Amino acid sequence: MNGNTFGSVFQVTTFGESHGPALGAVVCGVPAGLKIDESFIQRELDRRRPGSGIPGATARRESDHLKILSGVLNGVAIGTPVALVIENSDQHSSDYDELKECFRPGHADFTYQRKYGLRDWRGGGRASGRETAARVAAGALAKLLLREYRIEVAAGVESIGGAKCGSIDFSAPCSNELNALDPEALPAMRAEIAAAAAALDSVGGVVRCRATGVPAGLGEPVFDKLDALIAHAVVSIGAVKGIEFGAGFGAAALRGSENNDPITPEGFATNRAGGVLGGISDGDALEFRAAVKPTPSIGIAQQTVDLKGNAKDLTVSGRHDVCIVPRVVPVIEAMTSLTLADLLLIQRTRRI
Amino acid sequence: MNGNTFGSVFQVTTFGESHGPALGAVVCGVPAGLKIDESFIQRELDRRRPGSGIPGATARRESDHLKILSGVLNGVAIGTPVALVIENSDQHSSDYDELKECFRPGHADFTYQRKYGLRDWRGGGRASGRETAARVAAGALAKLLLREYRIEVAAGVESIGGAKCGSIDFSAPCSNELNALDPEALPAMRAEIAAAAAALDSVGGVVRCRATGVPAGLGEPVFDKLDALIAHAVVSIGAVKGIEFGAGFGAAALRGSENNDPITPEGFATNRAGGVLGGISDGDALEFRAAVKPTPSIGIAQQTVDLKGNAKDLTVSGRHDVCIVPRVVPVIEAMTSLTLADLLLIQRTRRI
Amino acid sequence: MNGNTFGSVFQVTTFGESHGPALGAVVCGVPAGLKIDESFIQRELDRRRPGSGIPGATARRESDHLKILSGVLNGVAIGTPVALVIENSDQHSSDYDELKECFRPGHADFTYQRKYGLRDWRGGGRASGRETAARVAAGALAKLLLREYRIEVAAGVESIGGAKCGSIDFSAPCSNELNALDPEALPAMRAEIAAAAAALDSVGGVVRCRATGVPAGLGEPVFDKLDALIAHAVVSIGAVKGIEFGAGFGAAALRGSENNDPITPEGFATNRAGGVLGGISDGDALEFRAAVKPTPSIGIAQQTVDLKGNAKDLTVSGRHDVCIVPRVVPVIEAMTSLTLADLLLIQRTRRI
Amino acid sequence: MNGNTFGSVFQVTTFGESHGPALGAVVCGVPAGLKIDESFIQRELDRRRPGSGIPGATARRESDHLKILSGVLNGVAIGTPVALVIENSDQHSSDYDELKECFRPGHADFTYQRKYGLRDWRGGGRASGRETAARVAAGALAKLLLREYRIEVAAGVESIGGAKCGSIDFSAPCSNELNALDPEALPAMRAEIAAAAAALDSVGGVVRCRATGVPAGLGEPVFDKLDALIAHAVVSIGAVKGIEFGAGFGAAALRGSENNDPITPEGFATNRAGGVLGGISDGDALEFRAAVKPTPSIGIAQQTVDLKGNAKDLTVSGRHDVCIVPRVVPVIEAMTSLTLADLLLIQRTRRI
């Protein structure tokens, strides 16, 4: 209930502000005996790092070097909490001095002030996208567990602004800087970002995610359905404004005979359910799409108010991305992996 | 983590199967001194009841009579758990005998069997939509708390199949049997349902929800954002396959300058955020849309398998609705109210 | 955190006041496939019932008839919540009218009023010992699970007032009405109770508990040690004022060489640790003692105050036990069983 | 349920092994606006540090220098998690090489191996008393919150082996190296420790704790009673084997008329309840005693077995204390403070 913890058995608690000394995650419930490949966790963090050739990417350069403080001995989890720390090194807090006294539209500045009566104005504080580095580090631990069960979680960019993938290939994202699911859509996507950058503006998009190898039976009835937990996990990522499973919003316009997946001796004939029936995984691939809003930080002047409520025009300085969508991809994979790892362990307790 | 509990301070645990003796909810954390209007809870239950004039509605007739077993003395909450019980009276379990040995497409039959190694095949067991009566009863308690703060939660049907509301009026649903947000869309909506019924099929739709009077500051940073918790709450309703906040999936195609809500001394100039910034309520109305799939129970023969994995053609008998969308409306209100009531109480602990 | 829930996987939530319509428990996490012997649960409830031949026992007569509302089909747990309800039938609420306006010393009357600003004065409300019926019903479910693992939990009375057992035999309690661990101590124990009754007073005692067959490895490091959770569980019983494990307070006066249990190839040579090392079960019997205070309801006039803070002399009427110690025995077994059942299931998740 | 987290609103999660890179705590729910006096936290840590003039104290020398990684800006809590890290600097892991293959009697070596199938043998790993540094750091934050409400928590040593305090003065502990509650008992206590040290043995004792200024109304009914949570908190400290509140085990031999605290217009006439009635604070001082076992590490040869189950004689080397009791004092204060801080915040949600 404190907002900084996710999961129940495989459980992560994160901490850290954008411009504080460090970010981190404490992961409890990692099963003893799990091999911890530290270089894999670092590679996952590197996938989330800014500035890897994307036009209009933030100029902040963080090494995101991972330190493991506990829970691992000789490369193996010992059952105690795995504490992961990532130091902040490239803060330019003074860039944000102007924001101390006013609120950026589309950001959490206004709401943190109203919630707490004060806030860390430097780079968004805890509400910064930088917070997701801790999620990715913890999610990498979850992926290591899932791999023992041959469960693979992959995500990619389906659209940026009006540029959409014509086909979907989950092996494509790792080979292009936009994490796009269709390499043929890359020119149009790059053009969307370049046009937004030229206009001192930003642009949103859609990410699609698929988990394969998920055994039937994961998810808990009623409130903690697999799709409910994935929705919780994914919508908790700052920029995500919507999620849909399988046929999703499209299902609302279908008839039951069109939407039901026929069951055959060889498995489901289709997967309009997105791999979830009654909130429990059905053995087919888990599939969902998430809407990512355009970065609220833009170079165009916007109407806002200051701490005293006076009207003010604001042009956001500081360093930020024109398009955050490609960087959300590893974060969505991380949240999906954390959810599945937790449900996988819980399922061990469900039968006599 | 057991799936039957939602919330942390204002917290509900539900129980009950469709064809067992009773359903119920135990609501903990109801603040002492809250006036408990029992007839209001009953009215909310009545809104969810089947068969109120909707074409193709299930023939099951339940009185859904509420009993309060604890936690209330002389019409006032005393701080202890409020236990609510609703007896099942109109079960026709023998209708489901055929389903003991085979799986209905689109239902939880298959996944419960895989999760638990056995299942209650009678009317869907715990996965039945009947489970939502307990949510509505608990949600009514939450609404009573919210009203003390002048927070109102209202939902309505935006579309059924291809029939969509032209305008949105949250006072409209209470005056039509489909809970539609635009009375002018009623003829088209009724026609969609009638056509599906005639085809022995079913049809889905979209529900829109709005909460007004929500103070700024509700929601917890990072994992338990207001929108993440609402997504969890709403997607946990059986038939819901997607959710979006404010501009939602539409935001993915916008520029930042189009999507950010300008802040003025009088408040936000627009509400594309849906009332949530950085996962915390901003004082504007909370707004979201949910996709509801068509009822999986249809009278058309479908491909499926039996317990031994052999192919089989199934025509679902039993009693069920052709269109579940209007009945989801009070359930979405209930889940939204439970989430807000919990966050409202938690917020009391956040400042020194 | 709401006080009405115990455990995490095998998890019970209870509800009910002494003079309300009913008491009950909702038990989540009962593994699917567990055989539910309803008559065993009823027998456990009968062990806790008042008035079974103890001198000075309360005159309240409750049948404590168990109803199962959900979670069980054909005598087998189906994985969904098991809701247990026990109706109240023999309330004499008017006996308590005098207490509406004043506080009984040693009772929760004063503190509930200060906590909630109001209270259910009838028979102690939720703070009544009657609440423990729900614990015993839930604990019986836990015992059914433990028996699948050949874990047996047994408790008995070690002393009442100054009358102490000379020897300890955990098979003795079931064959005497005081649940004493040594039948030879019965005359002295009965005399203690009779003397207190004659003096319109009450008397306390000590209960000892032992769980055998507990496998090594149960309990979680640091905060959720097995002994910490048992202490939580047992001290949460109203009348319990202390607990000690193995050598307990005696260990405080020992040297390490006297207190350590030598380890041999055949197991531990002694069990001064009470079966717990570093908070984790060591495979030896779990052993602890609990101090039970004398019933605070006595027939002797006592100093107290009324709601307005004015001094007043009070002689407690209503129905109550002169010695509650024998009736605490099945409650301590229930809380111990609930703790062990939960840790047993959790341990399934701790290794890769 | 993962054992590394305590509390629900004011909630701490700790991590770290004795010979790993660092220990730490992440404290969630610290109310925004609370002044964080970093030097106070450091002083609390210094009180727990080894080697402050106690005969037979461990030779390990740790600076226990505190670093705050998040949650504090300009000396004020901002509502986000406060992460506290303490680096390990004086590990001599090679001292423990012999223990890799065998189990120390009275330690968690055996049980961790059985729980996890492997263990960190270096200095006790996570089961080391060093883990309590993280508790003390988090507890210091709780004390800062309690001080805003004028709640003071103090503990001290009541006995060591057979040497007992004749009187109790909670201001005494801060002025003597044994944290004794009666300076006149110091010579006898020192003699107990010296004698044990000379015999290559160790010795236990009793700690008494009192919290003053606790408002009436803290604690939750039924399972999360104030005393149940304190019992959980205090018994979770490695060496604690028993706890009693107020008259405690003594109450078991009393009559009700002797044990009940009379209520007068000026407050309770006595405090045999230890400040708790029905599990809720009554406004009087919270009082309890905890039994601390002798350090299991001793220089005398003991019977044990190796990993293969073969008998072996073991003389424990490594660095350890002859008497741990004085060092438990700040840890008990910390756990008590964490419990009270949590309940204090929760109580804000209990009335309309």
Side-chain angles (χ1 to χ4, degrees), chain B residues 30-102:
Chain B
V30 181
L34 181 66
K35 280 182 199 151
I36 305 299
D37 177 352
E38 206 166 328
S39 66
F40 173 75
I41 309 176
Q42 186 64 57
R43 284 199 303 279
E44 288 289 293
L45 278 169
D46 292 345
R47 289 178 63 207
R48 197 211 68 93
R49 273 173 60 204
S52 30
I54 304 176
T58 172
R60 182 166 176 173
R61 288 296 168 268
E62 289 285 1
S63 62
D64 284 358
H65 178 66
L66 178 78
K67 271 198 257 181
I68 297 184
L69 298 187
S70 64
V72 179
L73 185 64
N74 299 331
V76 172
I78 58 173
T80 60
V82 179
L84 308 163
V85 170
I86 301 157
E87 288 181 14
N88 289 324
S89 54
D90 188 33
Q91 307 106 309
H92 290 188
S93 299
S94 57
D95 288 359
Y96 295 89
D97 281 355
E98 185 189 9
L99 300 176
K100 205 168 166 174
E101 300 295 326
C102 79

Side-chain angles (χ1 to χ4, degrees), chain D residues 78-348:
Chain D
I78 57 173
T80 60
V82 179
L84 307 163
V85 170
I86 302 157
E87 288 182 13
N88 290 323
S89 54
D90 188 32
Q91 306 105 311
H92 290 187
S93 298
S94 58
D95 289 0
Y96 294 88
D97 280 355
E98 186 189 8
L99 300 176
K100 204 168 165 173
E101 299 295 327
C102 78
F103 304 117
R104 293 170 299 172
H107 272 287
D109 302 350
F110 179 80
T111 50
Y112 269 62
Q113 185 75 36
R114 293 293 293 274
K115 182 174 188 68
Y116 294 116
L118 50 81
R119 75 195 148 99
D120 182 354
W121 68 89
R122 303 164 309 164
R126 181 116 178 97
S128 166
R130 182 147 178 73
E131 164 265 319
T132 59
R135 301 184 188 227
V136 169
L141 282 175
K143 281 189 173 182
L144 290 172
L145 175 60
L146 295 178
R147 286 183 173 185
E148 298 280 329
Y149 288 82
R150 300 181 182 276
I151 301 170
E152 290 286 337
V153 176
V157 174
E158 185 181 297
S159 70
I160 288 178
K164 295 184 184 174
C165 292
S167 61
I168 300 295
D169 174 3
F170 279 97
S171 70
C174 61
S175 61
N176 69 73
E177 88 284 3
L178 292 184
N179 285 327
L181 289 158
D182 177 5
E184 295 190 12
L186 283 167
M189 286 177 169
R190 288 179 188 129
E192 283 274 356
I193 297 174
L200 302 178
D201 213 337
S202 64
V203 63
V206 171
V207 173
R208 184 183 276 265
C209 182
R210 177 182 292 168
T212 55
V214 180
L218 304 194
E220 300 303 316
V222 187
F223 297 118
D224 293 342
K225 293 185 162 87
L226 171 56
D227 40 359
L229 292 176
I230 292 283
H232 185 152
V234 171
V235 176
S236 81
I237 302 168
V240 174
K241 295 302 284 183
I243 188 166
E244 59 179 8
F245 296 85
F249 277 88
L254 294 179
R255 293 259 175 103
S257 59
E258 298 167 313
N259 189 57
N260 287 347
D261 299 306
I263 316 180
T264 77
E266 292 74 39
F268 294 92
T270 52
N271 187 12
R272 284 178 287 246
V276 194
L277 280 173
I280 300 173
S281 61
D282 64 13
D284 217 332
L286 171 71
E287 294 213 52
F288 65 87
R289 298 169 75 245
V292 181
K293 74 175 185 179
T295 325
S297 293
I298 57 175
I300 301 171
Q302 299 178 83
Q303 284 180 58
T304 190
V305 298
D306 65 17
L307 276 180
K308 293 174 186 153
N310 299 316
K312 188 183 155 98
D313 268 10
L314 177 73
T315 305
V316 178
S317 58
R319 296 165 297 173
H320 41 77
D321 293 279
V322 164
C323 181
I324 204 80
V325 188
R327 294 184 64 196
V328 170
V329 166
V331 186
I332 283 181
E333 290 181 12
M335 293 310 300
T336 303
S337 300
L338 285 165
T339 307
L340 289 171
D342 194 28
L343 291 172
L344 192 71
L345 294 176
I346 291 171
Q347 176 60 12
R348 293 186 186 176

Side-chain angles (χ1 to χ4, degrees), chain A:
Chain A
M1 61 169 292
N2 282 310
N4 306 292
T5 298
F6 189 80
S8 31
V9 175
F10 197 101
Q11 184 181 58
V12 61
T13 298
T14 72
F15 61 85
E17 282 78 49
S18 175
H19 288 228
L23 299 166
V26 180
V27 188
C28 296
V30 181
L34 182 68
K35 281 183 197 150
I36 304 299
D37 177 352
E38 205 166 328
S39 66
F40 172 75
I41 309 175
Q42 186 64 57
R43 284 199 304 277
E44 288 290 293
L45 279 168
D46 293 346
R47 288 177 65 205
R48 197 210 67 93
R49 275 172 59 202
S52 30
I54 303 176
T58 171
R60 183 165 176 177
R61 289 295 168 271
E62 287 285 359
S63 64
D64 283 356
H65 178 67
L66 178 80
K67 271 199 258 180
I68 297 183
L69 298 187
S70 64
V72 180
L73 185 64
N74 300 330
V76 173
I78 58 173
T80 60
V82 179
L84 307 163
V85 170
I86 302 158
E87 289 181 13
N88 290 323
S89 54
D90 188 32
Q91 306 104 310
H92 291 187
S93 299
S94 57
D95 288 0
Y96 294 89
D97 280 355
E98 187 189 6
L99 301 177
K100 205 170 167 172
E101 300 296 326
C102 79
F103 305 117
R104 294 169 299 172
H107 274 286
D109 301 350
F110 179 80
T111 52
Y112 270 62
Q113 185 74 36
R114 295 292 293 274
K115 181 173 189 68
Y116 295 116
L118 49 81
R119 74 194 149 101
D120 181 356
W121 69 90
R122 304 163 310 163
R126 181 117 178 95
S128 166
R130 181 146 180 73
E131 164 264 318
T132 59
R135 302 184 187 227
V136 169
L141 282 174
K143 281 190 173 182
L144 290 173
L145 175 60
L146 295 178
R147 286 184 173 186
E148 299 279 330
Y149 288 81
R150 300 181 181 276
I151 301 170
E152 292 286 337
V153 176
V157 174
E158 185 180 296
S159 69
I160 288 179
K164 296 183 183 173
C165 291
S167 61
I168 300 295
D169 173 4
F170 280 96
S171 69
C174 60
S175 60
N176 69 73
E177 87 286 0
L178 292 185
N179 285 326
L181 288 158
D182 176 5
E184 295 191 11
L186 283 166
M189 288 177 168
R190 288 180 188 127
E192 284 275 354
I193 297 174
L200 302 178
D201 213 334
S202 63
V203 63
V206 171
V207 173
R208 182 183 277 264
C209 182
R210 175 182 294 168
T212 54
V214 180
L218 303 194
E220 301 301 318
V222 185
F223 297 118
D224 293 343
K225 292 185 165 86
L226 170 56
D227 41 358
L229 292 176
I230 292 282
H232 184 152
V234 171
V235 177
S236 81
I237 302 168
V240 173
K241 296 301 284 183
I243 188 168
E244 60 178 5
F245 296 85
F249 277 88
L254 294 180
R255 293 260 173 104
S257 59
E258 297 167 315
N259 189 56
N260 288 346
D261 299 305
I263 317 180
T264 75
E266 292 73 40
F268 294 92
T270 53
N271 187 11
R272 284 177 287 245
V276 194
L277 280 173
I280 300 173
S281 61
D282 65 12
D284 217 330
L286 171 72
E287 295 212 50
F288 65 87
R289 298 169 76 245
V292 181
K293 74 175 186 180
T295 324
S297 294
I298 55 175
I300 300 170
Q302 300 177 83
Q303 284 181 59
T304 188
V305 299
D306 64 18
L307 276 180
K308 293 175 185 153
N310 299 317
K312 187 180 155 98
D313 267 9
L314 176 73
T315 305
V316 178
S317 59
R319 297 165 296 172
H320 41 77
D321 293 280
V322 166
C323 181
I324 204 81
V325 188
R327 293 185 66 197
V328 170
V329 166
V331 185
I332 284 182
E333 289 182 13
M335 293 310 299
T336 303
S337 300
L338 285 164
T339 306
L340 289 172
D342 194 28
L343 291 173
L344 193 71
L345 293 176
I346 291 171
Q347 176 59 11
R348 292 186 186 177
T349 70
R350 293 306 181 210
R351 298 194 192 187
I352 184 71

Side-chain angles (χ1 to χ4, degrees), chain C residues 225-292:
Chain C
K225 292 186 164 88
L226 170 56
D227 41 0
L229 292 176
I230 292 282
H232 184 153
V234 171
V235 176
S236 81
I237 302 168
V240 174
K241 296 301 284 185
I243 189 168
E244 60 179 7
F245 296 85
F249 276 88
L254 294 179
R255 293 260 175 104
S257 59
E258 298 167 313
N259 189 56
N260 288 347
D261 299 306
I263 315 178
T264 76
E266 292 74 39
F268 293 93
T270 53
N271 187 12
R272 284 177 287 248
V276 194
L277 281 174
I280 299 172
S281 62
D282 64 11
D284 218 331
L286 172 70
E287 294 212 51
F288 64 87
R289 298 169 75 246
V292 181

